Amino acid sequence: MVWLGWQLLHAGRYWVLQDAPPLPLWNVDTALVLGIQAVIFWKMGLYRGLWRFASVADLLNIFKACFLGAVAIVVVLAFKRLNGNPISVLVVYPFALSALLGTPRLLYRAWKDYQAVQSDAGARRVLILGAGRAAEALVRDLRRSGDYEPVGLLDDSAHLQGAKLQDVPILGLLEDAPVVARETAAKLLVIAIPTLDAAGMQRVVGICESTGIPFRKVPRLSDVLEGHSLPGQLKEVAIEDLLGRKPILPNWELIRGWLGGRTVLVTGAGGSIGSELCRQCARHGAARIVLLEISELALLTIQAELERGFPALQIEAVLGDCGDPAVIRHAIGRGRPDAVFHAAAYKQVPVLEAQVREAVRNNILATENVARACIEADIAQFVFISTDKAVEPVNALGGSKRYAEMICQSLDQQAARTRFVTVRFGNVLDSAGSVVPLFREQIRNGGPVTVTHREVSRYFMTIPEACQLILQAGASASHGAIYTLDMGEPILIRVLAEQMIRLAGKRVGSDIAIIYTGLRPGEKMHETLFYSDENCRPTSHPKILEAGVRSFSSEQVLSSIPHLREAVATYDLEKIQAIFNSTMPEFSGIACEQSSDSAKVVQFPVARGK
């Protein structure tokens, strides 16, 4: 093309002016032009471009290469005093060459796009909600697939009405979806507005549900970049998309600076929180991760996932119980971690109400075991993962977690080098044993969906958000602090169930019934994030709050641990009850345990907080 353009420009000038002989087909100047332009094209990557996806960016790159080539040619030929090459040819050269190089690419792209538009007669007809950049990219992707045919778009922008996007008409507002879907015989709706907040998504999902047609959504760019979605992949609208709270945006620069090149140990590494912590630590710069997990299958699963996703990451897998001092010493010795995330715990309220001894052994004594091992090894940071149920605890889970919080704060006062940090948060969507997988299974089986009470509510967050909070707190926390997320307003479990039923394409009541079973043992009607007398303080992160230090006897908490160990070893529930009552006057609850001989019920006396 360079040779052709060079020859045509000279021939054209000769044909117009006829004041000089035509350029020969080959001479030294032509060879110089070809050599100079070839080097510039190679340096700027023009030979690597795919004609099938030629775009405006490619055309600009072509023009830049041609312009730089013209400048270089003028400089080189100037040493020969241009040698009879007219100035007019050199001026027109970059524009003419850009046209010669760009036109074939655009024609090829147009031909391929035309072929893609010729939809198969069996293609699924798609109505797209949104007419922005995401919609434009979606139209292209759908056409390329050959399995879908975009039949129209809807958008609330008045100036777009009646226009076309990639030759697909914009047929109305979002509220017109039921009518337009019927008129266009659409079989699928796609929400192509990835910037929608929770309220906006609720509105659009309601519109989609009113059509009775299946619907999907285009993933957010952040989901694609973080590996939660694939580019061009259509996703089902998940319940977390409808939460009435904006996701937290952590200070990733701070977190990467803290994690970069370091070693971390994660207990409970195969669980919902532990495994996501491992992924995020690996993603944001940790050089080595020690995985401690009691379940061999869970350990194998997270180890294999990290090895596939992060080949350069050093992984040390340890199978064992973090309540075993030898296991903790071994795990710490394998990696010499800079920070420990203690995510291992029993978390199911109704189970632990009947297993108080195990709640104490795993949630209290194992935490104390890991914490003391960190002090002995001079580990810089210990991050304890707690729960909102530790606030005004009324069940075994909340009581055991509150006791563990006090252990961490007490040990922080004694530790010379280890900094202890506690992170509290509410229910985690889609974690193992949470209400979302239960509802999903019940809906899949045709119902009914079981809710304990019409007015029961909980704070909710996603697993990635919970782990981001943990990392943010770990990177910036002060000694002995307890942090929690500003989680917005609590959500009624009944409303959550109704939304999940509708997202599954079912109608509440007629297709899937909701029945109310009554509060379970140890279950609260509502959770709180702070004690009433805790003066929460803002931190450097707008979504993270620090709880004020509550008055308690550190000496009493730590001195009671040997007695708890003795009570656990002898299954003495009455002694556990007495220790809880003396160290946590704010605790009230009922624990039930079935012995081999008879059912034994232990009542923890009610004693409200200070």
Side-chain angles (χ1 to χ4, degrees), residues 425-600:
F425 49 81
N427 292 42
V428 179
L429 285 170
D430 239 0
S431 62
S434 72
V435 71
V436 171
L438 173 63
F439 286 172
R440 188 177 293 123
E441 181 181 1
Q442 291 175 336
I443 293 169
R444 189 183 303 118
N445 294 333
V449 172
T450 56
V451 178
T452 57
H453 193 283
R454 286 188 60 86
E455 301 304 320
V456 69
S457 67
R458 293 291 181 268
Y459 292 98
F460 281 100
M461 64 192 313
T462 65
I463 295 174
E465 284 180 320
C467 294
Q468 289 165 9
L469 168 64
I470 294 167
L471 293 179
Q472 178 77 39
S476 59
S478 57
H479 278 274
I482 296 179
Y483 293 95
T484 191
L485 176 67
D486 178 4
M487 300 179 67
E489 297 299 321
I491 297 173
L492 290 172
I493 302 298
R494 166 177 54 84
V495 173
L496 183 71
E498 292 170 352
Q499 289 177 332
M500 290 189 65
I501 292 171
R502 287 195 292 267
L503 285 178
K506 307 293 184 180
R507 290 171 296 178
V508 179
S510 56
D511 294 331
I512 302 288
I514 297 177
I515 61 174
Y516 300 95
T517 59
L519 293 176
R520 298 172 299 179
E523 188 173 28
K524 285 183 179 180
M525 183 74 77
H526 309 289
E527 300 287 357
T528 53
L529 298 174
F530 295 99
Y531 284 89
S532 58
D533 58 350
E534 274 183 331
N535 295 319
C536 60
R537 299 186 295 270
T539 66
S540 59
H541 193 285
K543 287 292 184 179
I544 298 178
L545 302 174
E546 180 180 355
V549 177
R550 285 176 58 79
S551 175
F552 66 90
S553 172
S554 297
E555 181 180 353
Q556 183 182 18
V557 167
L558 295 179
S559 63
S560 296
I561 291 175
H563 301 293
L564 275 179
R565 291 192 184 279
E566 181 182 347
V568 166
T570 59
Y571 246 103
D572 191 339
L573 300 183
E574 292 183 356
K575 189 171 185 178
I576 292 174
Q577 168 190 340
I579 293 172
F580 270 34
N581 187 52
S582 63
T583 56
M584 294 185 295
E586 69 267 32
F587 177 80
S588 63
I590 298 175
C592 305
E593 181 112 9
Q594 293 290 337
S595 69
S596 57
D597 301 324
S598 61
K600 184 178 181 181

Side-chain angles (χ1 to χ4, degrees), residues 37 40-41 44 46 60-70:
Q37 200 67 73
I40 292 176
F41 283 173
M44 297 192 66
L46 257 62
L60 290 174
N61 201 35
I62 288 172
F63 180 76
K64 289 177 185 177
C66 295
F67 180 79
L68 290 176

Side-chain angles (χ1 to χ4, degrees), residues 327-514:
V327 169
I328 292 300
R329 287 195 298 269
H330 174 66
I332 291 176
R334 289 280 294 273
R336 303 302 302 174
D338 300 289
V340 171
F341 296 95
H342 184 46
Y346 289 144
K347 307 179 183 75
Q348 299 304 310
V349 169
V351 173
L352 295 184
E353 285 303 281
Q355 307 290 340
V356 178
R357 186 258 186 190
E358 283 304 298
V360 172
R361 186 193 65 81
N362 199 46
N363 292 357
I364 298 177
L365 300 182
T367 299
E368 191 262 351
N369 179 51
V370 178
R372 287 196 181 276
C374 290
I375 294 176
E376 293 172 5
D378 286 335
I379 291 172
Q381 191 98 331
F382 178 89
V383 182
F384 173 61
I385 298 168
S386 188
T387 170
D388 58 356
K389 294 173 179 60
V391 179
E392 301 289 357
V394 299
N395 49 50
L397 170 59
S400 61
K401 282 291 191 177
R402 175 56 189 157
Y403 200 108
E405 288 183 357
M406 294 190 296
I407 289 175
C408 291
Q409 290 183 305
S410 300
L411 291 178
D412 184 80
Q413 299 171 11
Q414 300 180 359
R417 299 187 180 181
T418 304
R419 180 173 56 178
F420 286 83
V421 177
T422 296
V423 181
R424 280 182 198 150
F425 49 81
N427 292 42
V428 179
L429 285 170
D430 239 0
S431 62
S434 72
V435 71
V436 171
L438 173 63
F439 286 172
R440 188 177 293 123
E441 181 181 1
Q442 291 175 336
I443 293 169
R444 189 183 303 118
N445 294 333
V449 172
T450 56
V451 178
T452 57
H453 193 283
R454 286 188 60 86
E455 301 304 320
V456 69
S457 67
R458 293 291 181 268
Y459 292 98
F460 281 100
M461 64 192 313
T462 65
I463 295 174
E465 284 180 320
C467 294
Q468 289 165 9
L469 168 64
I470 294 167
L471 293 179
Q472 178 77 39
S476 59
S478 57
H479 278 274
I482 296 179
Y483 293 95
T484 191
L485 176 67
D486 178 4
M487 300 179 67
E489 297 299 321
I491 297 173
L492 290 172
I493 302 298
R494 166 177 54 84
V495 173
L496 183 71
E498 292 170 352
Q499 289 177 332
M500 290 189 65
I501 292 171
R502 287 195 292 267
L503 285 178
K506 307 293 184 180
R507 290 171 296 178
V508 179
S510 56
D511 294 331
I512 302 288
I514 297 177

Side-chain angles (χ1 to χ4, degrees), residues 147-164:
D147 298 325
Y148 298 92
E149 179 187 359
V151 295
L153 302 105
L154 301 175
D155 197 278
D156 282 341
S157 298
H159 69 280
L160 294 178
Q161 302 306 311
K164 288 188 176 182

